[in-house]
Amino acid sequence: MRIIAGKYGGRKLTHFKANHIRPTTDRIKESIFNRLQFQIDGALVLDLFSGTGNLAIEALSRGAEKVTAVEAHPQSMAIIKKNKELLGIGKELDCQQKDVFKFLKNCEESYPLILVDPPFTEKLADEVLKALSQSQCIAQGTEVFIESSAKEHTAEEYLPLKRVLHKSYGDKFLSQYVFN
């Protein structure tokens, strides 16, 4: 696993053994960040179900000002912290070991960019989008990128979020929702 571009481009992330993690592929990362190339610089980003921190660190590498990485699993949080240390990342990566749904319910800050990669085994994409649509994490202009299993259903709208992209990548879908 590596960072594709930017400040940490080409750098490898820590090796891990964890059956509960399936990191975002380079192909999907490229798709997300190509769509965000003019919006990521200086952005405040929320990474839900952060896993290894792969997406969070890619966002920082490409110019995000600050990323909040939310992950409940202790082993995953340890991997994120190792990657943070490995790359010499400071306060710009805020690691929060919390349940994503509790975080969304209690969130008081809005984020212009939200990245979501829930565990495929739990099929949470629909539930997460419903929770996001009712959270203070979103505001006018927020963009949400979410990965889901090809077997999961996600709706066109979770008002005020509307889907503007739904693309297949083998057994995964990448969807983009925008708060209009």
Side-chain angles (χ1 to χ4, degrees), residues 50 107 132 141:
S50 196
C107 185
L132 262 171

Side-chain angles (χ1 to χ4, degrees), residues 1 35 67 97 106 146 151 163 179:
M1 202 171 43
R35 293 184 72 85
V67 179
Q97 188 172 343
N106 298 314
I146 185 166
K151 297 176 183 178
R163 187 165 59 200
F179 183 133

Side-chain angles (χ1 to χ4, degrees), residues 8-132:
Y8 305 114
R11 300 276 306 269
K12 291 189 178 192
L13 298 178
T14 192
H15 179 73
F16 66 92
K17 288 187 179 185
N19 293 335
H20 71 283
I21 300 175
R22 185 175 174 188
T24 300
T25 65
D26 285 356
R27 188 170 170 218
I28 293 176
K29 277 198 306 187
E30 278 290 348
S31 181
I32 292 169
F33 289 101
N34 283 345
R35 293 184 72 85
L36 293 173
Q37 65 181 329
F38 301 113
Q39 297 156 268
I40 195 75
D41 197 40
L44 181 61
V45 179
L46 177 61
D47 181 17
L48 300 174
F49 303 100
S50 196
T52 62
N54 182 18
L55 287 174
I57 295 169
E58 189 75 44
L60 285 172
S61 184
R62 293 176 185 241
E65 182 177 324
K66 183 177 180 184
V67 179
T68 300
V70 180
E71 175 57 61
H73 198 285
Q75 188 178 5
S76 293
M77 187 54 68
I79 293 167
I80 295 168
K81 288 179 178 178
K82 281 182 187 175
N83 283 327
K84 184 177 176 178
E85 185 179 322
L86 178 71
L87 298 174
I89 297 170
K91 293 179 184 177
E92 63 271 22
L93 179 55
D94 176 24
C95 299
Q96 296 199 21
Q97 188 172 343
K98 294 181 179 176
D99 175 79
V100 166
F101 293 100
K102 287 179 183 172
F103 178 88
L104 291 174
K105 187 175 183 178
N106 298 314
C107 185
E108 296 179 357
E109 181 176 18
S110 65
Y111 296 84
L113 177 57
I114 301 174
L115 308 172
V116 189
D117 186 9
F120 279 54
T121 56
E122 297 181 37
K123 295 188 170 109
L124 294 173
D126 182 65
E127 190 178 347
V128 172
L129 287 163
K130 286 176 184 173
L132 262 171

Side-chain angles (χ1 to χ4, degrees), residues 136-150:
Q136 295 299 311
C137 287
I138 63 170
Q140 186 71 31
T142 294
E143 293 189 46
V144 177
F145 286 85
I146 185 166
E147 291 179 60
S148 61
S149 161

